[in-house]
Amino acid sequence: MESFDEPHVARSCLSPTTSGGRRAVLLTADGVRIDAAYDPPDGERDVAIVVAHGFTGALERPAVRRAAQVFSGYAGVVTFSFRGHGRSGGRSTVGDREVLDLTAAVGWARSLGYARVATVGFSMGGSVVLRHAAGAEGDVGGRVDAVASVSAPARWYYRGTAPMRRVHWVITRPAGRLVSRVGLGTRIHSADWDPVPLSPVEAVPLIAPTPLLIVHGDRDGYFPVDHPLSLAAAAGDAADLWLEPGFGHAENAAEPELLRRIGAWVAARTA
């Protein structure tokens, strides 16, 4: 039996980085190995931010590293690659079992000594942080102290824009999954969801009293603004909604100024 010296972290995979952070391989509840990294904060901080990237992203992608660098001004930062992405094992279920990946990352952040942990998710990761904060998969031990969802869908199976029709082709067709694996480095599970997971708009009413931030751009080419408006309506007065003029989609379009405001929101809500 494999031994562990931190929750969900294989002892043999812990290693320091040149920046003073750490790399690790986390083990999810269903046995998938997840590549993860920790970046220490600038100065003394007592909160950690766990960053959940979008579909086809990974912890080593430039946009994720940029977000981690900005957020380190406000918190310690844990980044990781969802299953089927980057160096992580398994195959992507495009937002379903990824809740278990996030749970492992949050658990690692707490094992590093952070009593307060916030999650910030982008696009697919934005839907995952919502479901995680709502207690998806029956998980309550992974509850967080604040959650920010950026560029997330409100509902599943949306095909109302050309980019999302292309995404569905990639996910549902053998040729599309081949393109994703070879061209994007993302391995996608071929099975349909069974059962269909709780949708983001169904999850948000279950998040309160945890502070919730919904961020969306008015130039998002994937999900129009009815998605964040639906999420905010479902959350009621429990959520802050930022509709960002000129902002496109997810971490690739997130400028440092927006990331700084998200980091400041997390710091304020977890104070």
Side-chain angles (χ1 to χ4, degrees):
M1 179 178 295
E2 189 170 23
S3 60
F4 300 92
D5 66 348
E6 291 181 355
H8 308 296
V9 183
R11 176 184 300 168
S12 61
C13 297
L14 291 168
S15 61
T17 68
T18 56
S19 64
R22 302 173 74 180
R23 291 294 295 264
V25 175
L26 312 181
L27 188 65
T28 68
D30 61 345
V32 178
R33 291 179 175 271
I34 299 299
D35 187 28
Y38 165 67
D39 292 286
D42 296 335
E44 294 294 327
R45 310 285 179 178
D46 56 2
V47 62
I49 293 175
V50 179
V51 178
H53 63 74
F55 181 58
T56 75
L59 73 83
E60 293 177 335
R61 295 288 172 86
V64 176
R65 300 314 327 142
R66 180 176 67 245
Q69 182 180 21
V70 173
F71 290 153
S72 67
Y74 302 89
V77 182
V78 169
T79 52
F80 66 97
S81 296
F82 279 119
R83 62 185 61 201
H85 292 71
R87 298 180 182 179
S88 291
R91 288 181 288 174
S92 174
T93 62
V94 199
D96 180 13
R97 305 300 286 174
E98 282 74 9
V99 170
L100 301 178
D101 309 344
L102 181 60
T103 298
V106 168
W108 187 40
R110 293 202 184 279
S111 77
L112 292 170
Y114 290 98
R116 294 179 295 165
V117 178
T119 53
V120 178
F122 298 89
S123 192
M124 180 188 77
S127 71
V128 173
V129 299
L130 294 175
R131 295 183 56 239
H132 176 268
E137 304 298 328
D139 173 60
V140 293
R143 285 277 186 168
V144 292
D145 299 279
V147 55
S149 177
V150 185
S151 303
R155 52 195 182 275
W156 302 137
Y157 304 111
Y158 178 73
R159 293 178 171 86
T161 59
M164 282 308 299
R165 289 191 287 274
R166 289 193 292 270
V167 169
H168 279 277
W169 179 83
V170 166
I171 294 169
T172 61
R173 302 295 181 88
R177 292 191 292 271
L178 177 62
V179 168
S180 177
R181 177 168 56 85
V182 175
L184 301 174
T186 300
R187 291 86 61 200
I188 304 171
H189 206 291
S190 60
D192 294 334
W193 285 339
D194 185 19
V196 176
L198 189 74
S199 72
V201 76
E202 294 170 321
V204 288
L206 307 177
I207 294 174
T210 302
L212 170 62
L213 173 63
I214 298 166
V215 182
H216 211 91
D218 65 358
R219 293 188 180 179
D220 192 309
Y222 289 80
F223 305 113
V225 295
D226 67 294
H227 285 261
L229 293 176
S230 296
L231 293 172
D237 295 334
D240 295 331
L241 172 63
W242 296 355
L243 291 178
E244 295 294 310
F247 176 43
H249 184 70
E251 64 264 44
N252 290 328
E255 296 291 339
E257 187 275 335
L258 174 59
L259 296 172
R260 283 192 291 268
R261 285 197 284 123
I262 293 171
W265 180 91
V266 168
R269 294 301 186 273
T270 57

